[in-house]
Amino acid sequence: MRWLILPAVLTLAVTAHGAEPWEEVSGALGQVEALPSGALSKAELEDLIAIGDELFIAKFTSAEGAGRPAATQAILPTKRRNPATSAFARTSGSDSNACSSCHNDPVPGGAGDFAATTFVSEGFTNSDFDTTDPQFSNERGTNHLFGAGLVELLAREMTAGLHAQRAAALVKARQTGAPQTVDITTKGVSFGSITARPDGIVDTSNRDGIDADLVVKPFGQKGVMVSLRQFSVNAMNHHHGMQPVERFGPRWTGEADHDGDGFADEIRAADISALVAWQATLEPPARITPEDTTWRDLAATGSQNFDAFGCATCHIRTLPLDSLSFADPGPLDTAGTLKDRDVAEPAVYELEFLEWAKTLERDDQGRVLVPLFGDLKRHTMTDRTNERLGNELLAQRFVDRTAFATTELWGVASTAPYGHRNDMTTLDEIIRAHGGEAAQSAMAYRDATDRHRTTLIAFLKTLVLN
Amino acid sequence: MRYTLATLLLLASASSSLALKMAFPFDIPMMEEEAASAGIAHTYDGPFEYFVGGGAASFDCNGDRMADVFLAGGAGEAQLFINRSKAGGALAFEKIDPGLSANDLRRVTGAYPLHIDGDGILDLAVLRVGENWLLKGNGDCTFTKANRLWNYDGGRAWTVAFSATYEAGNRFPTLAFGNYIDRTAPGSPWGTCEANVLARPQGTDEVPNYSTPQILEPGYCALSALFTDWNASGEAALRITNDRQYYRGGQEQLWRVPQDRPARPYRTADGWQRLQIWGMGIAARDLDADGRPEYALTSMGDTKLQALDDESGEDRPIYRDQAFEKSATAHRPYTGEDGKPSTGWHAQFADFNNDARTDLFIAKGNVEAMSDFAAFDPDNLLLGTLEGGFYEAGDKAGIALKTRGRGAVVEDFNRDGMLDLLVVNRGEPTSLFRNLGRRAKPETDTGPMGNFLAIELRDETGANLSAIGARISVKTGNLTQNQTVAVGGGHASGQAGFAHFGLGVAERASVRVQWPAGENGEAEWSHAYRAFADHHIVITRGAAEPLMWFPPQ
């Protein structure tokens, strides 16, 4: 046993949430006494997931620290210039009570309706805004989280691959005394090329769809989040005003109550671990075979058209994954989000324990074929003739406003509406909105016959959340 | 631990915030002394002339961007050590022959690396008791004496202080040499301070020509000098800290160094206020990011921390001392039984724990056997606090040794993103501390600290390849950190290479550079560069993007 559950969780029959029925708190916090570490058994993992489930649906209250009257939504601990006039605001936040307030369609962990969009801003200046004017924030739809553990594992392996290629190029450049220009490709996805020089300099100006650090950041519409842990830490503060200790605690802010709501150490690292465990183990979406023969036939043709139109260039059907061992904290986070080097031994969640893992296809090398329909890469999505997706004014975290990460299409049939703003009600609309690097594919779709367009939609409608 | 509101209110009645309950909640770096295992065997020693000095120069002499070190030896030989450390590993150095005679390497008090002739290879200004050397770097960690080549008269003075700047319109750097006691004058050493020297490049030759220096009189026994743009005018002035032990009627000095005109000191009429201290070392850093640096001045007794006063003006350098209010006086040993006043030498601002707050290192040590001053006088590691003050952590960090510190360099020798520390001690082996990261549980364990960003500037538009005088402005959230690329200050010690910024929990930063005017151009701000934390980047003037650098593995 490498972690402990407080007695409260063992008395679920009495108080489902570790709090008395009359207490106005979620009761979900603090059930994991110590940060999980080492390889968890199946039972231990299931217990942790159960706590994570509670945390995900918990409606945090002001009686346990919800709200951030003295802090902004910024990912860096930032004090407000003026006290918040209200605890919640749909624009600048805090904007929800629970994770599942937005990630709820069709079930917790799912996507969100247009009603559940959020407004992303840096939160450093102009952190309070009461307008949806895009000069203050970018409006973002809520993505679903199913299969997120597999996505993060893919991203980690891809990053390791890219970094290994960079390291090898540097070694060769230093050994030969000559610059080495190498294509950087991982899991079949090309990220352009880099040039390593004998003096240890790496020129990444010809990289493609990735930051200069060559870290694949798989989460968020812009592909800017490294890990579920980082996302969770950010989101807890932004959306709920629940400040995780690992970033907002005394070590970085000098305060136990940075947001000034009277509650110290609002979310401990162990709680974040439980949240991560729950998200990382969510079953991936599936592709169904319709019982309706007409739909089945259309989908079969649509699958072919998916390739023919060029959709699969970016929405790659599967990416191979070497390992189903999910370590948390992970290897790629930086200070402010726990990373593996911060702890004696990260916890390891074997996704193999989960029933759904048995359904995953494997290739002849034994690698899991993750059916995400994505490439974990950014692409320019607008051009002069099609700016439908170019409606933002603010660059987010160094990413140009016209660039977005490829949306993984698994589960797309269950997660309407579409687009980074969740403002397109049909798949037809979002396909037509593709511009920039996807313009050719969108044109192929637009130029196709009604029937062929229908087949593609029919195919996409088979990609559902279980 | 959870507080109810009622509990909190009770707590609040005892202290205004929860923050006040924590002495120092931030990371304290663990510094492990490993000079011997790293191959640094060196002592600075000698008679009276070497009671002061004892400097170190940290720079890359062989093109691998790892910081090599040249250490003054006093009466003994200076030594050059090549950095053989691997990224993140134990520190490792190898002594090599710099190609100079044993005689040339003796009587050295300190050294500063800089580009003098603009050939792309760092050169070295070597300060001595007797003739100073300008050493031309050969690129293979050997050097050639270039005094004659560059028409520089190294003089016969006792030199401990040095600084350099690139004045607008000049191809080559302007050099300032701060001299200590004139030992040949009647009555020496009392009241016989040597004048200082300002060597500006002459003519339009292809090589530097320092044939016509200006003698900066009066000199007040300088122990540190620094060209600094104190008023953000774009024109560096020369700040000199002087040792009141030996001058008569002297004071701290600030010289205007106007383009194409002789330097002249700021006087009382200009607002300059007389300050008399045992000035040993200067550190400068724009602590409040207002574009105007603050200065730490080491002394015997209390350290000064000077900031421009509200009554100062565009050309009125009026300073007030903030050391007491910021807990930076460091006037007595912070540990041990010796309660006598301290003796401070090298001072350097840096972020040792990468928390995005500036720290202050001060090398300490009795001059020799001055009984009125502390004999056990450990070096200070003053970690920056949330309120802008400092917290002494030298003992907790592991640098409180029974040594007599003099010069020092704060440098990331193994390129792991955490600043290490080399201290030259008088009469005792040089100390080399590796920063292992924060103290974690169990107490013997260490862990990562905050994020960092290391920035090297390259200005290939002229000879000022290291962009001396450039201001680097790093923005993370609402925090701006400014550093100026400078040569000078500290105590007889200088360095060239990456500028280190702690970023705390910021995963990225926007970087802007105010490039110096240069030979033909004008000072100009760059666009904002995007940089990801925990990387070394190289920014070349005019480049669209920074380049990344990776150390040897």
Side-chain angles (χ1 to χ4, degrees):
Chain A
M1 188 74 169
R2 292 174 178 78
W3 55 286
L4 299 171
I5 304 174
L6 290 181
V9 78
L10 302 177
T11 57
L12 296 178
V14 178
T15 55
H17 301 298
E20 301 298 344
W22 53 88
E23 285 188 86
E24 292 193 297
V25 295
S26 70
L29 293 164
Q31 298 183 66
V32 189
E33 192 172 68
L35 197 67
S37 69
L40 270 62
S41 68
K42 187 170 187 286
E44 289 169 335
L45 179 57
E46 287 171 349
D47 286 344
L48 191 61
I49 292 169
I51 294 170
D53 186 33
E54 287 188 51
L55 284 162
F56 197 84
I57 62 174
K59 291 183 178 176
F60 299 110
T61 74
S62 59
E64 59 189 334
R68 40 179 168 77
T72 77
Q73 65 272 41
I75 58 173
L76 300 181
T78 303
K79 292 284 191 182
R80 289 179 182 274
R81 294 182 189 277
N82 301 301
T85 53
S86 60
F88 287 86
R90 279 293 295 124
T91 47
S92 55
S94 308
D95 56 7
S96 69
N97 306 100
C99 305
S100 59
S101 299
C102 298
H103 292 281
N104 60 23
D105 186 12
V107 293
D113 188 7
F114 185 77
T117 57
T118 190
F119 297 86
V120 178
S121 75
E122 293 274 15
F124 300 125
T125 56
N126 301 315
S127 57
D128 284 319
F129 52 92
D130 56 4
T131 170
T132 59
D133 187 323
Q135 67 176 308
F136 292 100
S137 70
N138 294 323
E139 187 172 8
R140 290 291 154 72
T142 303
N143 286 337
H144 77 79
L145 296 165
F146 289 92
L150 296 173
V151 169
E152 182 167 342
L153 286 176
L154 279 171
R156 290 181 189 178
E157 290 185 2
M158 293 170 81
T159 299
L162 296 175
H163 287 186
Q165 290 165 49
R166 182 179 65 194
L170 279 164
V171 167
K172 192 171 182 183
R174 282 185 162 117
Q175 287 176 343
T176 62
Q180 302 293 320
T181 298
V182 295
D183 293 331
I184 48 173
T185 300
T186 178
K187 298 189 186 294
V189 179
S190 171
F191 288 92
S193 67
I194 59 171
T195 299
R197 299 179 186 169
D199 63 355
I201 293 285
V202 175
D203 182 350
T204 64
S205 57
N206 287 325
R207 69 186 183 279
D208 181 26
I210 192 169
D211 290 324
D213 58 3
L214 305 187
V215 173
V216 176
K217 302 178 177 91
F219 298 119
Q221 307 271 14
K222 302 288 273 190
V224 292
M225 302 282 184
V226 170
S227 66
L228 290 168
R229 190 165 196 106
Q230 182 193 24
F231 189 91
S232 299
V233 169
N234 292 354
M236 276 288 158
N237 175 62
H238 181 168
H239 300 305
H240 315 314
M242 295 294 291
Q243 298 202 307
V245 175
E246 63 193 80
R247 187 177 305 158
F248 299 89
R251 188 177 163 212
W252 301 115
T253 66
E255 300 175 292
D257 179 24
H258 177 68
D259 62 7
D261 59 6
F263 290 87
D265 301 338
E266 286 171 0
I267 298 191
R268 299 173 309 139
D271 290 321
I272 295 295
S273 291
L275 263 176
V276 169
W278 184 80
Q279 294 171 82
T281 54
L282 284 174
E283 180 176 0
R287 180 177 167 189
I288 59 168
T289 301
E291 292 180 6
D292 182 319
T293 55
T294 303
W295 182 9
R296 190 163 63 219
D297 292 344
L298 286 170
T301 305
S303 178
Q304 294 169 3
N305 282 331
F306 187 78
D307 296 334
F309 292 163
C311 308
T313 305
C314 301
H315 296 286
I316 299 173
R317 291 170 181 265
T318 64
L319 291 178
L321 179 65
D322 292 327
S323 171
L324 286 173
S325 299
F326 187 98
D328 178 62
L332 297 171
D333 280 302
T334 58
T337 302
L338 276 189
K339 54 184 176 295
D340 53 6
R341 297 174 309 285
D342 284 316
V343 299
E345 185 181 15
V348 178
Y349 312 140
E350 295 294 349
L351 304 189
E352 297 266 17
F353 291 154
L354 305 164
E355 285 301 312
W356 55 257
K358 298 182 177 71
T359 67
L360 295 171
E361 284 187 49
R362 291 180 182 263
D363 66 9
D364 54 7
Q365 299 173 49
R367 299 179 299 179
V368 168
L369 295 174
V370 180
L372 77 169
F373 290 87
D375 60 1
L376 305 186
K377 180 181 171 182
R378 290 189 208 117
H379 299 274
T380 299
M381 293 303 295
T382 71
D383 55 47
R384 294 177 63 182
T385 61
N386 189 349
E387 293 187 320
R388 183 71 175 83
L389 293 172
N391 54 355
E392 298 190 342
L393 295 177
L394 304 175
Q396 185 184 354
R397 294 176 146 195
F398 293 172
V399 181
D400 291 343
R401 64 188 190 88
T402 58
F404 292 88
T406 301
T407 298
E408 292 87 42
L409 295 182
W410 58 359
V412 70
S414 308
T415 55
Y418 307 111
H420 57 261
R421 196 167 160 260
N422 268 5
D423 58 351
M424 295 181 216
T425 56
T426 66
L427 290 165
D428 178 77
E429 285 177 82
I430 184 62
I431 294 170
R432 291 175 185 272
H434 282 53
E437 294 177 49
Q440 290 292 333
S441 298
M443 187 182 301
Y445 175 79
R446 284 196 300 269
D447 292 346
T449 63
D450 287 347
R451 174 179 162 72
H452 279 298
R453 283 198 296 271
T454 298
T455 65
L456 183 65
I457 303 298
F459 167 65
L460 294 174
K461 289 287 188 182
T462 66
L463 306 178
V464 299
L465 298 181
N466 280 331
Chain B
M1 185 173 192
R2 305 220 180 303
Y3 296 104
T4 64
L5 186 58
T7 306
L8 191 80
L9 290 172
L10 285 173
L11 287 173
S13 66
S15 61
S16 61
S17 79
L18 293 171
L20 295 180
K21 297 175 68 65
M22 305 167 192
F24 188 78
F26 310 114
D27 291 346
I28 294 176
M30 285 185 68
M31 310 293 287
E32 184 171 85
E33 208 289 317
E34 52 184 48
S37 61
I40 298 277
H42 181 81
T43 297
Y44 178 82
D45 210 350
F48 175 60
E49 288 88 342
Y50 308 103
F51 286 6
V52 298
S58 167
F59 63 111
D60 172 25
C61 64
N62 55 2
D64 64 359
R65 283 194 169 81
M66 300 295 281
D68 311 307
V69 291
F70 178 88
L71 307 180
E77 289 182 28
Q79 297 191 86
L80 178 63
F81 295 87
I82 302 302
N83 192 339
R84 301 295 189 199
S85 309
K86 299 298 182 189
L91 303 183
F93 287 85
E94 176 188 352
K95 182 190 172 189
I96 72 154
D97 179 0
L100 301 166
S101 74
N103 210 37
D104 291 338
L105 291 169
R106 293 196 184 100
R107 304 171 70 84
V108 174
T109 61
Y112 289 81
L114 74 160
H115 286 288
I116 295 178
D117 63 354
D119 66 352
I121 301 169
L122 278 166
D123 309 306
L124 207 53
V126 177
L127 315 181
R128 299 178 73 239
V129 179
E131 186 177 13
N132 297 321
W133 305 132
L134 294 182
L135 300 181
K136 178 178 168 57
N138 297 325
D140 58 355
C141 298
T142 67
F143 297 85
T144 302
K145 284 195 290 182
N147 287 18
R148 183 171 298 179
L149 175 66
W150 296 337
N151 274 302
Y152 167 67
D153 178 0
R156 298 187 304 120
W158 176 357
T159 307
V160 184
F162 176 82
S163 189
T165 187
Y166 275 77
E167 294 183 77
N170 286 351
R171 179 171 182 184
F172 300 112
T174 293
L175 314 177
F177 295 85
N179 296 322
Y180 198 46
I181 298 166
D182 179 356
R183 295 159 298 151
T184 63
S188 176
W190 311 106
T192 62
C193 294
E194 189 93 54
N196 301 314
V197 175
L198 182 70
R200 295 169 121 164
Q202 307 295 311
T204 57
D205 295 344
E206 289 299 305
V207 294
N209 177 354
Y210 295 107
S211 59
T212 315
Q214 179 188 353
I215 304 303
L216 301 182
E217 293 185 296
Y220 292 132
C221 292
L223 283 177
S224 185
L226 180 65
F227 278 110
T228 175
D229 187 6
W230 67 273
N231 56 356
S233 65
E235 186 174 85
L238 179 62
R239 182 156 197 149
I240 303 176
T241 191
N242 299 309
D243 184 3
R244 66 176 293 177
Q245 186 79 6
Y246 295 109
Y247 62 63
R248 288 176 183 157
Q251 58 175 301
E252 296 291 285
Q253 292 174 297
L254 181 66
W255 292 73
R256 287 189 186 89
V257 187
Q259 188 177 1
D260 300 327
R261 288 158 53 197
R264 59 190 177 90
Y266 282 93
R267 302 184 188 283
T268 307
D270 302 313
W272 182 248
Q273 294 180 321
R274 186 183 195 85
L275 177 64
Q276 295 181 312
I277 60 174
W278 291 271
M280 308 283 200
I282 306 174
R285 182 63 65 88
D286 182 8
L287 297 174
D288 54 5
D290 66 351
R292 290 159 177 76
E294 281 69 46
Y295 302 94
L297 305 173
T298 57
S299 180
M300 301 173 81
D302 58 324
T303 297
K304 304 295 182 188
L305 185 60
Q306 292 193 325
L308 278 173
D309 189 81
D310 291 342
E311 294 182 8
S312 64
E314 189 175 335
D315 203 29
R316 289 181 62 78
I318 303 174
Y319 284 88
R320 63 186 173 87
D321 184 18
Q322 298 182 320
F324 181 77
E325 65 191 78
K326 291 186 178 293
S327 302
T329 52
H331 54 289
R332 284 198 182 92
Y334 51 86
T335 185
E337 300 302 316
D338 198 332
K340 294 176 183 175
S342 276
T343 307
W345 299 87
H346 184 87
Q348 188 164 349
F349 289 109
D351 189 351
F352 282 84
N353 56 359
N354 286 341
D355 64 356
R357 286 179 283 275
T358 302
D359 313 317
L360 174 62
F361 167 78
I362 302 173
K364 290 279 187 66
N366 196 291
V367 173
E368 179 63 7
M370 295 185 75
S371 57
D372 290 339
F373 290 84
F376 171 61
D377 199 1
D379 302 337
N380 298 96
L381 181 55
L382 293 160
L383 298 180
T385 67
L386 201 64
E387 298 77 21
F390 295 92
Y391 172 84
E392 179 60 62
D395 50 349
K396 296 183 180 70
I399 67 165
L401 304 186
K402 292 179 179 178
T403 49
R404 286 178 296 178
R406 291 294 189 267
V409 288
V410 180
E411 176 62 271
D412 179 7
F413 287 114
N414 60 354
R415 299 298 186 221
D416 62 356
M418 299 185 288
L419 289 171
D420 310 302
L421 171 66
L422 181 147
V423 186
V424 178
N425 300 307
R426 173 172 162 75
E428 292 159 293
T430 293
S431 304
L432 179 63
F433 299 92
R434 175 156 65 116
N435 189 337
L436 299 176
R438 72 184 166 93
R439 189 181 296 278
K441 293 178 181 177
E443 291 300 301
T444 54
D445 212 352
T446 58
M449 300 187 292
N451 299 321
F452 80 97
L453 183 63
I455 303 171
E456 177 188 301
L457 298 186
R458 295 282 297 174
D459 185 352
E460 296 172 348
T461 62
N464 187 9
L465 295 167
S466 301
I468 295 169
R471 188 197 308 173
I472 308 172
S473 186
V474 171
K475 188 169 186 300
T476 51
N478 289 337
L479 176 69
T480 298
Q481 297 184 69
N482 292 334
Q483 287 190 40
T484 299
V485 181
V487 177
H491 183 74
S493 303
Q495 60 198 98
F498 288 99
H500 177 101
F501 293 82
L503 299 186
V505 296
E507 62 188 6
R508 62 204 155 85
S510 293
V511 182
R512 295 188 73 200
V513 180
Q514 187 179 31
W515 297 97
E519 185 180 1
N520 303 311
E522 294 184 356
E524 60 183 2
W525 278 104
S526 74
H527 62 274
Y529 291 98
R530 297 166 170 178
F532 291 92
D534 300 339
H535 284 87
H536 295 78
I537 63 171
V538 178
I539 298 177
T540 301
R541 188 169 186 165
E545 275 197 40
L547 298 172
M548 287 184 164
W549 176 81
F550 295 87
Q553 297 295 317

